[in-house]
Amino acid sequence: MNRIDQTFKEKKDVLNVYFTAGYPNLDDTIRIATVLEKAGADMLEIGMPFSDPVADGPTIQDSSQKALENGMTMVKLFKQLKTLRDHVSIPVLLMGYVNPIIQFGIDRFCDQCAEVGVDGVIIPDLPMQEYLEFYLGKFKSKGIHNVFLISPNTSEERIRLIDEESGGFIYVVSSSSITGAKKGIQEGQLAYYQRIQSMSLKNPQLIGFGISDKETFDTACTYSNGAIIGSAFIKQLDEDASEKGISDFIKTIK
């Protein structure tokens, strides 16, 4: 069984933490992943740096740019991840954009994901039809879940299609905006969460974008299987990327 499926089978209020590979330092990827699991994260989402991350706000954009300046590449990332499963047992997803994957080579990408123990991918700008035609078979043959995103503007018809074709979980984008830590949950967002919850989708759901503290995490968990924290954790790495700093941050959430 894929580690993502196993996690949702065994746990509630799943905390998925995003960080950018190669940030704040080039060789921090495995260290941060190891510390996050030890601190209590249930799932990891490792960002593949890209020069034009269209779904990301300034915080993650900046971390991506600095990681690229540090020398992070797809080749370097997979070299780092060769020791991933010596240190980390929880599910790991790679999050990034389709252009670098195409440049790297889709077959090569899938092979290396399987080799290092990546459980899933999140590719926000991968069109559904293109995925079904060119990627689905390759991902499935390697046991890699592909996670699609939905937003308040996503039609019920498309949500049902995504539920049918997704693997692992559905990424519920909390608002029609880019990533970024925001304070509190708006009333309109609760109605959206309730609408998704009432659809009784077969896949678990994690809420992301704007989840920044215990209040927003707990609220998200009320309406879903857990939540994703990204920008708020990147800001923590800006301030203190030590083991204690990371552990103390996770303890404020869970």
Side-chain angles (χ1 to χ4, degrees), residues 5 89 182 199 225 239:
D5 299 328
S89 62
K182 303 172 181 69
M199 292 178 69
N225 301 88
E239 296 169 10

Side-chain angles (χ1 to χ4, degrees), residues 12-239:
K12 296 180 178 179
D13 301 345
V14 170
L15 173 60
N16 180 2
V17 181
Y18 169 94
F19 66 98
T20 304
Y23 180 84
N25 301 299
L26 179 61
D27 294 322
D28 275 342
T29 309
I30 295 298
R31 180 186 72 84
I32 291 173
T34 304
V35 174
L36 280 170
E37 176 170 14
K38 185 178 177 183
D42 301 303
M43 199 175 295
L44 302 179
E45 187 179 319
I46 302 177
M48 299 177 284
F50 181 47
S51 57
D52 188 23
V54 292
D56 294 310
T59 300
I60 292 178
Q61 282 187 21
D62 184 60
S63 71
S64 189
Q65 183 59 40
K66 288 180 179 175
L68 291 172
E69 291 170 359
N70 287 341
M72 179 53 71
T73 64
M74 292 283 277
V75 171
K76 180 67 176 176
L77 174 58
F78 280 115
K79 282 183 179 177
Q80 291 180 347
L81 294 179
K82 280 186 176 180
T83 63
L84 175 70
R85 291 303 170 190
D86 294 335
H87 305 279
V88 174
S89 62
I90 58 178
V92 172
L93 298 101
L94 294 183
M95 185 277 182
Y97 296 87
V98 71
N99 187 280
I101 294 173
I102 291 171
Q103 290 183 350
F104 188 74
I106 180 59
D107 291 309
R108 182 184 179 197
F109 178 79
C110 291
D111 287 345
Q112 296 214 11
C113 281
E115 183 180 322
V116 302
V118 167
D119 304 289
V121 294
I122 302 170
I123 311 171
D125 61 341
L126 175 60
M128 170 70 78
Q129 196 53 47
E130 187 174 328
Y131 165 70
L132 294 177
E133 190 171 347
F134 299 112
Y135 291 71
L136 174 62
K138 297 178 189 296
F139 286 171
K140 281 199 169 182
S141 70
K142 298 296 181 180
I144 301 165
H145 282 330
N146 182 57
V147 175
F148 279 102
L149 294 80
I150 63 172
S151 77
N153 296 328
T154 308
S155 67
E156 178 171 347
E157 180 183 11
R158 182 167 175 81
I159 292 172
R160 297 288 183 193
L161 176 61
I162 285 171
D163 190 38
E164 189 63 33
E165 301 296 349
S166 280
F169 63 92
I170 293 174
Y171 193 132
V172 179
V173 177
S174 64
S175 61
S176 299
S177 67
I178 55 176
T179 59
K182 303 172 181 69
K183 289 294 182 184
I185 300 289
Q186 305 303 311
E187 187 174 334
Q189 288 176 282
L190 293 182
Y192 163 52
Y193 297 162
Q194 290 166 349
R195 176 169 68 89
I196 300 304
Q197 191 179 45
S198 71
M199 292 178 69
S200 300
L201 302 174
K202 68 176 186 178
N203 282 291
Q205 300 106 54
L206 292 182
I207 294 174
F209 287 46
I211 309 301
S212 60
D213 52 25
K214 182 170 178 55
E215 178 189 0
T216 48
F217 177 76
D218 287 347
T219 301
C221 290
T222 301
Y223 298 97
S224 69
N225 301 88
I228 301 164
I229 289 185
S231 296
F233 182 64
I234 297 295
K235 288 180 179 178
Q236 171 60 44
L237 294 179
D238 287 342
E239 296 169 10

